[in-house]
Amino acid sequence: MALSSPPATGLRPSVQPLTGASEDYGKLLELIGDARIVLLGEASHGTHEFYRERATITRRLILEKGFQAVAVEADWPDAYRVNRWIRCVGDDRTGRDALGDFQRFPRWMWRNADVLTFLEWLRRHNESLTPEQRVGFYGLDLYSLFSSIEAVIGFLERIDPEAALRARYRYGCFEDFGEDSQAYGYAAEFGLSRSCEDQAMQQLLELQRQAADLSQRDGKIPEDEFFYAEQNARLVKNAEEYYRSMFRGRISSWNLRDRHMAETLEALTAHFDRHGGRSKIVVWEHNSHVGDARATSMGDSGEWNVGQLSREHFGEEAFLVGFTTYRGTVTAARDWDAPAERKRVRPGLAGSWEALFHEIGYANFLLPLRDLASTEETFPPRRLERAIGVIYRPETERVSHYFEARLPQQFDAVIHFDETRAVEPLDRTAGWESGEAPETFPSGV
């Protein structure tokens, strides 16, 4: 890997400083042009500026370019409850109530102040529109195996009790695991219990065969409801395979998860296309999902991701935006299922994109990349790029949080904030309130 840093001054002519002014993202919208899929990343799952600025950009895409939906790295049934609230239906009175199904770790990822503010804006925006014009909010992820099973059965109980009995019988295959998806995956993969693969597939196929009849029956079943149920059945089928694949290795499970998210995005575009032509969707996911995997060490090891699959499916109609930060604080946990903490983010390592962007000298900026992708005298072949998910371990930062990337091939544009702060959870913990003592990490790691 080439670590020799090109002069930061070589990038300055291409940089668009961000000052907080209303016209900040005019250049970005110009670059996006007529793209129908705009993927907005984040370098962590716990940074205020990433959430805030994605919301700012998304509002402009909705108002100025007619985008119809926001699709996020969240579970389908949890996000659909939010979708019903912002579209002015359902039983929830407030946005905080609508976020009530986000109880699985990490709750702060969607139950935070910035998301709530954005959802309240979406609700106000939708109130003045007809139902057909209202912007939606959808989850792309597949962790909700058991809640999706409940959603399929609940839908069928309302419209076809006999079909609901068949679904309950098929999905009964999972009932010995007490809604522990990983326990199911382990037992099924190692032959300790029968696999439920056939039952999940049979239920999806039956629901698809019933589509025409169910959607036309007395005109009482809105197409959106059936689409919601069908996606849950598809999720059960894919999640069943995903939880078995977890015990085969990271690459297999990563690829299954990102394939599912890409397929859900494609299903959303097809669904909206049936109601007025060419749909436009904004995607909010981590950089590791949004950036083209082929330009990273992830791709070298055989992993693909949503960004790569979107480019392959939508071509130049997909526009990929990455976000980076040099230092600050972040909401993250020490380990999986541990409480949220407000942790200090170390300055970007030497030889990283973050360190190079810090040298440019602007606090915050947009850097278009498409025209620079082949300029090797400006960009080295590869540099380190930081990725903080829901866990942050500064004591092993190089190993835990950096990978190699060719940034101009990974994204179409990148947005850098030199210093950022932790997103504010709706559910505060003692560790988040107190924050982390300064300089708790060893030097030279």
Side-chain angles (χ1 to χ4, degrees), residues 90-109:
D91 300 324
D92 291 308
R93 295 179 57 253
T94 68
R96 187 183 286 260
D97 292 341
L99 288 164
D101 284 345
F102 286 99
Q103 295 300 320
R104 183 180 61 80
F105 177 86
R107 288 195 295 177
W108 75 83
M109 187 171 161

Side-chain angles (χ1 to χ4, degrees), residues 203 376 411:
Q203 184 55 50
E376 289 195 8
F411 299 108

Side-chain angles (χ1 to χ4, degrees), residues 198-215:
D198 288 345
Q199 289 86 341
M201 176 62 79
Q202 288 168 12
Q203 184 55 50
L204 173 61
L205 292 175
E206 177 175 329
L207 201 59
Q208 290 173 332
R209 284 194 299 267
Q210 290 176 307
D213 176 56
L214 291 176
S215 61

Side-chain angles (χ1 to χ4, degrees), residues 246-272:
M246 289 179 66
F247 300 96
R248 301 173 200 156
R250 168 184 162 83
I251 293 174
S252 176
S253 59
W254 175 278
N255 286 351
L256 281 168
R257 181 182 173 211
D258 272 56
R259 172 69 73 183
H260 170 81
M261 290 195 287
E263 288 177 350
T264 303
L265 179 59
E266 292 164 16
L268 279 169
T269 59
H271 176 68
F272 286 118

Side-chain angles (χ1 to χ4, degrees), residues 303-318:
E303 293 178 342
W304 57 63
N305 65 5
V306 175
Q308 173 185 338
L309 296 172
S310 294
R311 278 180 169 172
E312 291 174 350
H313 185 82
F314 297 103
E316 292 192 357
E317 291 188 316

Side-chain angles (χ1 to χ4, degrees), residues 96-356:
R96 187 183 286 260
D97 292 341
L99 288 164
D101 284 345
F102 286 99
Q103 295 300 320
R104 183 180 61 80
F105 177 86
R107 288 195 295 177
W108 75 83
M109 187 171 161
W110 299 111
R111 288 180 57 81
N112 66 63
D114 291 300
V115 168
L116 180 58
T117 298
F118 177 60
L119 296 179
E120 289 170 342
W121 179 87
L122 282 173
R123 167 82 178 211
R124 291 193 300 272
H125 172 74
N126 280 339
E127 283 174 347
S128 63
L129 303 176
T130 66
E132 295 75 21
Q133 295 172 320
R134 290 171 183 163
V135 177
F137 186 89
Y138 302 92
L140 299 176
D141 226 329
L142 51 45
Y143 291 123
S144 59
L145 173 61
F146 288 97
S147 55
S148 287
I149 286 173
E150 292 174 5
V152 172
I153 293 172
F155 169 76
L156 290 172
E157 283 177 338
R158 291 196 305 274
I159 56 96
D160 189 337
E162 289 187 6
L165 287 173
R166 292 192 295 273
R168 191 177 293 280
Y169 175 77
R170 292 186 182 113
Y171 288 150
C173 178
F174 294 98
E175 67 184 8
D176 292 337
F177 299 94
E179 298 197 5
D180 187 335
S181 305
Q182 292 192 33
Y184 162 75
Y186 181 87
E189 182 63 18
F190 292 105
L192 304 177
S193 176
R194 62 174 176 150
S195 164
C196 300
E197 179 180 12
D198 288 345
Q199 289 86 341
M201 176 62 79
Q202 288 168 12
Q203 184 55 50
L204 173 61
L205 292 175
E206 177 175 329
L207 201 59
Q208 290 173 332
R209 284 194 299 267
Q210 290 176 307
D213 176 56
L214 291 176
S215 61
Q216 295 173 11
R217 186 176 300 173
D218 299 326
K220 294 180 180 178
I221 306 170
E223 184 182 354
D224 277 356
E225 278 195 42
F226 182 81
F227 177 64
Y228 169 68
E230 183 183 11
Q231 282 300 116
N232 273 305
R234 182 177 289 108
L235 191 153
V236 173
K237 190 268 291 183
N238 289 343
E240 185 279 330
E241 184 179 8
Y242 170 79
Y243 282 110
R244 284 188 289 112
S245 76
M246 289 179 66
F247 300 96
R248 301 173 200 156
R250 168 184 162 83
I251 293 174
S252 176
S253 59
W254 175 278
N255 286 351
L256 281 168
R257 181 182 173 211
D258 272 56
R259 172 69 73 183
H260 170 81
M261 290 195 287
E263 288 177 350
T264 303
L265 179 59
E266 292 164 16
L268 279 169
T269 59
H271 176 68
F272 286 118
D273 284 350
R274 289 194 291 270
H275 298 276
R278 188 174 176 273
S279 57
K280 292 184 175 183
I281 299 176
V282 187
V283 176
W284 290 17
E285 293 197 312
H286 195 278
N287 284 349
S288 56
H289 298 294
V290 166
D292 192 325
R294 293 170 295 187
T296 71
S297 51
M298 296 167 51
D300 295 342
S301 65
E303 293 178 342
W304 57 63
N305 65 5
V306 175
Q308 173 185 338
L309 296 172
S310 294
R311 278 180 169 172
E312 291 174 350
H313 185 82
F314 297 103
E316 292 192 357
E317 291 188 316
F319 193 92
L320 283 51
V321 183
F323 284 71
T324 62
T325 184
Y326 178 68
R327 65 184 169 203
T329 59
V330 66
T331 299
R334 296 174 185 269
D335 296 293
W336 192 262
D337 267 342
E341 298 179 25
R342 181 156 39 95
K343 302 171 74 69
R344 294 182 177 273
V345 177
R346 297 186 62 178
L349 290 179
S352 68
W353 292 109
E354 292 81 4
L356 174 60

